[in-house]
Amino acid sequence: MASVLRKAIVGCARQLPRCMIARRRSTTSGFAAVDSILLRSLRDHYEEVAKMTPPPKVSPPSSFTIVKGALDTHGPVLKRTYGSEQISIYVTRLGNIIRGGDNDDDDDDGINQLFLHVEMSKPGQKNSLLFLCGLYPDALGIHSVSMRPNLESEGILVVPSQYTGPSFQDLDERMRDALHSYIEERGVNESLFPFLQAWLYVKDNRNLMHWFRQVGQYISGKNHAKGT
């Protein structure tokens, strides 16, 4: 049986249209009764997620270091130095962007597809090289390669405003192969998948618990304000 967290992660895109359908008006009367029901539901879900067993601890490849505090930010997860280059890896999920069918297999696909932003920079260079990639348990695929200005502050991804280059699929096979070799030479390949998958599970778990807690605190605060 799929866990609450797994369903929360991979079911969002599929359930959105259904969630937008108007429901019947509740017959429950009184603000206090409605708030109490919601708070109880939030508490029950929070406790259920808190009891989940985390995945086994996985270390990244030895050439990479985990960025301190990455679980609490939208910044890079992993970094490494390759010669004079600084390489930063950002990660999110790819599988819940476009979904099809109603099989449980779709849930597994959503967990097993990651989206990487790989930023490479060199001292004295105004621009950095950005690879956007799909990462799977047994493969890495490049979606695009572009140049963008270096960032003065870490942890923020900026969408390039200038020409970003041709579509990766429009490049000839020899250049595509060379770009794959270039990024894989720097350790960006399927060996990153086990760590990043486990890391995202922990982050999603923390985010979900944080959401339950924040909504509960807001509702509780509103109750308190009414009583004053």
Side-chain angles (χ1 to χ4, degrees):
M1 181 180 294
S3 69
V4 171
L5 180 61
R6 172 179 291 241
K7 289 180 179 178
I9 296 168
V10 303
C12 231
R14 182 185 301 166
Q15 294 298 328
L16 180 58
R18 194 176 304 169
C19 292
M20 294 174 66
I21 298 174
R23 66 175 181 85
R24 292 185 303 170
R25 183 178 298 275
S26 173
T27 57
T28 305
S29 61
F31 289 112
V34 173
D35 291 358
S36 177
I37 292 171
L38 177 55
L39 284 169
R40 188 182 309 118
S41 179
L42 288 166
R43 183 179 63 250
D44 290 345
H45 282 80
Y46 178 92
E47 292 176 352
E48 186 173 354
V49 174
K51 292 176 182 177
M52 291 178 181
T53 302
K57 186 175 181 180
V58 181
S59 299
S62 59
S63 56
F64 288 91
T65 58
I66 304 171
V67 177
K68 185 177 180 180
L71 282 170
D72 300 315
T73 71
H74 297 293
V77 178
L78 295 173
K79 285 194 172 187
R80 71 161 296 184
T81 300
Y82 183 87
S84 63
E85 286 182 322
Q86 294 295 321
I87 300 173
S88 301
I89 295 181
Y90 304 71
V91 63
T92 186
R93 296 197 183 279
L94 179 64
N96 57 354
I97 297 175
I98 299 176
R99 315 194 65 80
D102 295 321
N103 297 326
D104 289 340
D105 291 344
D106 291 338
D107 292 349
D108 294 335
D109 289 343
I111 295 293
N112 290 329
Q113 299 179 13
L114 307 181
F115 190 49
L116 301 188
H117 294 236
V118 183
E119 181 187 12
M120 303 178 182
S121 60
K122 293 181 178 181
Q125 295 273 7
K126 293 183 178 180
N127 293 318
S128 59
L129 189 60
L130 178 65
F131 285 77
L132 302 184
C133 307
L135 181 63
Y136 308 88
D138 58 353
L140 178 134
I142 299 175
H143 292 296
S144 68
V145 182
S146 61
M147 301 296 297
R148 69 168 189 184
N150 283 329
L151 302 178
E152 293 183 0
S153 60
E154 296 182 358
I156 303 174
L157 284 171
V158 177
V159 177
S161 59
Q162 58 188 15
Y163 175 66
T164 58
S167 166
F168 188 75
Q169 294 304 317
D170 289 343
L171 299 174
D172 63 43
E173 184 177 0
R174 184 173 64 177
M175 181 169 286
R176 293 200 303 268
D177 288 345
L179 285 168
H180 272 286
S181 297
Y182 183 88
I183 193 171
E184 290 172 359
E185 174 67 23
R186 286 152 176 76
V188 183
N189 54 45
E190 62 271 18
S191 68
L192 294 171
F193 184 87
F195 167 78
L196 291 175
Q197 183 191 46
W199 185 89
L200 270 178
Y201 183 96
V202 174
K203 185 176 179 67
D204 289 337
N205 187 294
R206 286 169 59 123
N207 285 342
L208 189 56
M209 291 177 64
H210 182 66
W211 184 85
F212 287 138
R213 186 169 60 248
Q214 278 196 317
V215 175
Q217 288 173 346
Y218 175 84
I219 300 300
S220 296
K222 185 169 63 173
N223 283 339
H224 179 73
K226 289 175 185 175
T228 58

